[in-house]
Amino acid sequence: YEPAQLSRFAVDGNTLSSRRIDGRLFLVQQTPLHSYQLRTWTEIDWDANDNQIDAAYDALVAENKQKLAQADLSELLPQRYTFNQDGELGEPEALTACDRLYKPEVYSGDGLLTVATLDLSDDGDATPRGTSVLGSWGTVYSSRQSLYVAATNWDYSWYWEGQEDAPEVPTRLHKFNLSTADGIAEYRASGEVEGTTLNQFSLDEHE
């Protein structure tokens, strides 16, 4: 028996991890928003005063809002691509539908964290379908029913390094339900705990 390629796809972002459960494959992808020409820095002099710094960032916010207002919102979502029989890359399609994009109440970064589902069963459709939340990369843990991403917020941790009154570094947890009727991963909730995660073996699911 020789394996045969039945279909071929590409998806935006960096792959953090993947899980295969029965006939479904779940890809955990991270897509930075700076890919969409949004700027998060300003070009100001080192000796600029507070008023000049505030004015520069106000201008930056206005610039980014203008870019978003002029953009096709579908272009801000992760894309998927289908290769044809000649190996040529097809036109981009939205990996995540607008009704599967979420903003958690806890801040977890300025990128998009996506769980893409592929049905690998004999009679299934292997086209990747995503569910996305605003968030950064993190440690992935999965049971048969749920998938979790623990994203540690390292922002400004360097500023407090070595200081006795340094605040605790927080970790944001995102939960996805894998036991859905349509088989596509479903976003359920997000939360925050103090501290960092060592690796996936530091996580477990209770009840």
Side-chain angles (χ1 to χ4, degrees), residues 17-19 139-142 197-204:
S17 189
S18 63
R19 298 290 188 277
T139 302
V140 178
Y141 169 80
S142 177
T197 303
L198 178 61
N199 52 42
Q200 64 174 327
F201 303 106
S202 304
L203 300 171
D204 200 357

Side-chain angles (χ1 to χ4, degrees), residues 16 28-30 102-115 131-142 146-153 171-178 186-193 203 205:
L16 303 180
V28 185
Q29 302 288 120
Q30 169 66 24
Y102 299 89
K103 176 183 178 297
E105 293 186 3
V106 295
Y107 173 77
S108 184
D110 56 6
L112 284 175
L113 181 66
T114 301
V115 178
T131 300
S132 302
V133 298
L134 286 171
S136 298
W137 61 274
T139 302
V140 178
Y141 169 80
S142 177
S146 303
L147 184 145
Y148 302 85
V149 180
T152 300
N153 180 18
T171 293
R172 282 68 187 250
L173 298 165
H174 307 291
K175 178 180 180 180
F176 296 83
N177 177 25
L178 305 183
E186 173 190 46
Y187 172 69
R188 294 303 299 271
S190 296
E192 179 179 286
V193 296
L203 300 171
E205 188 177 48

Side-chain angles (χ1 to χ4, degrees), residues 39 42 54-64:
R39 289 199 304 130
T42 62
D54 290 342
Y57 275 99
D58 288 342
L60 178 62
V61 170
E63 175 188 320
N64 285 337

